Amino acid sequence: TTIKKGILLSGGTGSRLFPSTKAVNKHLFPVFNKPMIYYPLANFLQANIREVLIITNEGEVDLISKLLGDGSHLGISINYAVQKKPSGLPEAFIIGEEFINNEPVALNLGDHIFFGQELNKKLPEITKSLKNTTILSVQTDRPEESGVVCFNDNNEITSIIEKPKQFISNWIICGLYFYSSGVSEISKKLTPSIRGELEIIDLISHYLNSKKLDVIKFNENISWM
């Protein structure tokens, strides 16, 4: 199965960057010589994804569309949708259900910077022949801040735990995901967590429990923020 579509999330409050984010969406802040949102968009280009849906906050579509337009100057198609309040990452698949049209789809977080030589080879391989829902994993010295992936001796994924208080693994989930068809319907069936949001860990765990989850480890030339 080939992935042709991608959803890029650029919502949220950016509360850690107040007061700057009261006026400007954090995904438009410059990182080196370009706005932050260019980096996840570049991942889609590397993966040969040419149909993109950008989901952002109410009232901020004009800000981002002023920068990126309809994407025609980049050789891609960009559409926009609004997330009225932060309700969890899986809500992107509910908001974007019509865009997805029951096809496989990639999801990339707009404040996620993921680059390296391996990507130019690996990303097209994933999108060209997706078999199962696929997540990417990298090593970090601060796993307690992320979703942590545990593997057995056969290098098979055994569990995923969100921000564990004790060290269990230094492999974490990246904010770039590749979902097989049907993800919108599965997202609708998720139960909100205690904080009232749909959790990406619960969505991934569904595929893990169904034995329809692949994990690709990146060992070198990768940086992730």
Side-chain angles (χ1 to χ4, degrees):
T1 303
T2 301
I3 295 182
K4 299 178 181 179
K5 298 179 177 181
I7 295 177
L8 201 164
L9 288 182
S10 61
T13 61
S15 58
R16 286 178 292 183
L17 297 174
F18 276 178
S20 299
T21 45
K22 281 185 172 290
V24 180
N25 184 297
K26 72 173 181 179
H27 304 88
L28 300 180
F29 285 6
V31 176
F32 187 51
N33 63 346
K34 59 179 71 70
M36 189 189 306
I37 198 171
Y38 273 40
Y39 293 91
L41 191 59
N43 292 150
F44 283 160
L45 294 175
Q46 287 174 302
N48 292 324
I49 289 172
R50 297 293 183 265
E51 298 176 54
V52 178
L53 175 67
I54 295 179
I55 299 178
T56 188
N57 302 322
E58 203 163 14
E60 295 188 341
V61 170
D62 289 346
L63 283 174
I64 297 175
S65 63
K66 187 175 182 179
L67 174 68
L68 298 174
D70 64 2
S72 57
H73 62 295
L74 299 172
I76 62 177
S77 169
I78 298 178
N79 290 288
Y80 299 88
V82 170
Q83 184 179 38
K84 294 184 178 180
K85 63 177 183 178
S87 299
L89 301 185
E91 191 184 41
F93 302 115
I94 301 173
I95 294 172
E97 183 175 14
E98 185 176 341
F99 167 79
I100 298 169
N101 194 29
N102 203 34
E103 297 176 32
V105 65
L107 175 70
N108 206 351
L109 308 188
D111 56 359
H112 170 95
I113 299 176
F114 189 43
F115 61 93
Q117 294 179 359
E118 281 187 277
L119 291 179
N120 289 324
K121 177 182 178 181
K122 291 291 186 181
L123 293 186
E125 288 179 354
I126 295 171
T127 55
K128 185 178 180 180
S129 56
L130 185 77
K131 295 180 180 178
N132 296 313
T133 288
T134 300
I135 62 174
L136 310 182
S137 183
V138 295
Q139 290 179 298
T140 178
D141 56 2
R142 297 162 65 183
E144 68 279 359
E145 298 179 358
S146 306
V148 173
V149 186
C150 299
F151 299 92
N152 60 22
D153 293 338
N154 295 323
N155 210 32
E156 298 168 333
I157 182 172
T158 57
S159 63
I160 301 172
I161 300 174
E162 179 70 13
K163 299 178 181 177
K165 294 180 180 180
Q166 295 182 335
F167 178 85
I168 53 174
S169 169
N170 63 349
W171 287 96
I172 62 169
I173 301 172
C174 302
L176 176 57
Y177 318 84
F178 302 89
Y179 285 92
S180 53
S181 59
V183 66
S184 295
E185 287 299 322
I186 295 169
S187 296
K188 289 178 184 178
K189 296 176 182 178
L190 295 176
T191 301
S193 66
I194 193 170
R195 61 176 184 167
E197 296 186 9
L198 302 181
E199 302 293 346
I200 195 72
I201 291 294
D202 292 340
L203 180 59
I204 295 171
S205 294
H206 167 85
Y207 291 97
L208 174 60
N209 295 335
S210 302
K211 301 187 183 302
K212 295 180 179 179
L213 180 71
D214 293 333
V215 181
I216 296 178
K217 289 181 175 181
F218 284 91
N219 294 298
E220 56 188 9
N221 300 319
I222 296 293
S223 295
W224 178 79
M225 301 180 187

